[in-house]
Amino acid sequence: MSRAQRLLDLIQILRRHRFPVTGTQLAEELGISLRTLYRDIATLQEQGASIAGESGLGYVLKPGFMLPPLMFSEEEIEALVLGSRWVADRGDDRLAAAARNALHKIAAVLPADLRESLDTTTLLAGPDQSKADIDTGLPLLRSAIRNERKIFLSYKDGKGQISQRMIWPFALGYFEHVRVLIAWCELRQEIRHFRSDRIEAFEVYDLRYPKRRQALLKEWRAKEGITTDRI
């Protein structure tokens, strides 16, 4: 393992711990000696990392530190590029532009060798032949989710029946050929899923729904048996 990669791994380990972690534990996880660990800690501190603590007591990384030259490993870069390419091909215009802009910003802070990895990665996102339900309404739905606003929805089910309902949107699932709005439905008094291509019309109300979206998301995950490491 290169020293640069080791420093990156050290930063990542410290980020996982909210409370001080001993030098011995850090050294064991990295597979290095305590002396090497102390040198690495000092190097990171010299580069601006706000690492509090000292040998024998433990170390903790205060929030907010970024280390641009060591921000991503090569595989992390590949994951970012692949994900951004998928979004750029399948997202609505605003989300696609945001994905491309994010890659440009990442490239701007990477050192030359990692920037070359970003530019030359051969992981590709296959084209979406259907381009189903990519419409101008998706940005407004995302805004309603971020701001926790109620939506009055006119929705057509699989049998062609149209209903009107007030919902509390808290997530938007992007599948290969369809987008699914996940929301608490006041009519059904439960969490329901709404395909965006079946939404006939909707209006975002300037009315905040009573629950926080993270609480609704947690409730949905528990209902669906989805662990946090999957989403």
Side-chain angles (χ1 to χ4, degrees):
M1 179 191 300
S2 68
R3 186 164 188 263
Q5 183 63 52
R6 190 176 72 241
L7 292 174
L8 175 62
D9 290 347
L10 176 54
I11 286 290
Q12 295 300 99
I13 293 171
L14 287 169
R15 281 184 178 141
R16 293 201 307 263
H17 293 274
R18 295 178 58 189
F19 301 100
V21 55
T22 66
T24 299
Q25 184 178 344
L26 290 170
E28 288 178 354
E29 190 164 348
L30 290 166
I32 59 178
S33 68
L34 271 174
R35 178 178 294 181
T36 299
L37 175 75
Y38 296 152
R39 286 202 302 266
D40 288 349
I41 291 287
T43 297
L44 290 173
Q45 289 172 330
E46 289 172 359
Q47 295 190 27
S50 184
I51 301 175
E54 58 186 59
S55 59
L57 297 178
Y59 298 93
V60 63
L61 177 66
K62 295 181 180 179
F65 174 67
M66 299 296 286
L67 195 61
L70 304 175
M71 192 180 299
F72 303 111
S73 68
E74 288 189 358
E75 286 191 340
E76 287 170 340
I77 288 175
E78 289 180 336
L80 286 168
V81 171
L82 181 59
S84 296
R85 287 174 175 172
W86 193 96
V87 172
D89 185 71
R90 290 163 174 78
D92 54 81
D93 290 344
R94 289 177 60 179
L95 201 61
R100 289 189 288 268
N101 289 340
L103 273 185
H104 291 319
K105 289 179 179 179
I106 291 170
V109 299
L110 290 176
D113 56 339
L114 292 183
R115 186 163 57 249
E116 182 179 359
S117 296
L118 185 147
D119 292 335
T120 60
T121 179
T122 53
L123 298 185
L124 307 174
D128 182 2
Q129 299 298 331
S130 68
K131 284 288 183 181
D133 87 1
I134 301 301
D135 57 58
T136 57
L138 291 179
L140 192 55
L141 291 177
R142 293 199 304 273
S143 176
I145 291 171
R146 285 194 300 269
N147 296 306
E148 300 178 338
R149 292 298 187 265
K150 289 187 177 185
I151 288 179
F152 186 75
L153 197 69
S154 179
Y155 187 74
K156 181 170 63 177
D157 64 19
K159 297 180 181 179
Q161 299 296 315
I162 297 178
S163 62
Q164 283 76 39
R165 57 189 76 195
M166 187 73 78
I167 63 171
W168 309 348
F170 61 87
L172 186 61
Y174 282 74
F175 296 89
E176 186 68 18
H177 301 306
V178 70
R179 314 296 174 250
V180 177
L181 182 66
I182 309 171
W184 173 268
C185 176
E186 292 186 358
L187 176 66
R188 303 301 184 189
Q189 287 294 295
E190 64 180 357
I191 294 173
R192 301 298 291 264
H193 302 85
F194 304 94
R195 286 178 49 156
S196 64
D197 58 337
R198 292 179 181 170
I199 295 175
E200 296 290 296
F202 70 92
E203 181 181 357
V204 179
Y205 280 32
D206 190 18
L207 182 64
R208 190 168 186 166
Y209 49 74
K211 277 191 177 182
R212 300 308 303 268
R213 69 173 184 270
Q214 288 301 323
L216 290 167
L217 184 61
K218 183 178 180 180
E219 183 179 334
W220 173 75
R221 281 173 169 161
K223 177 183 176 182
E224 300 293 328
I226 297 174
T227 58
T228 55
D229 61 350
R230 287 176 55 192
I231 292 184

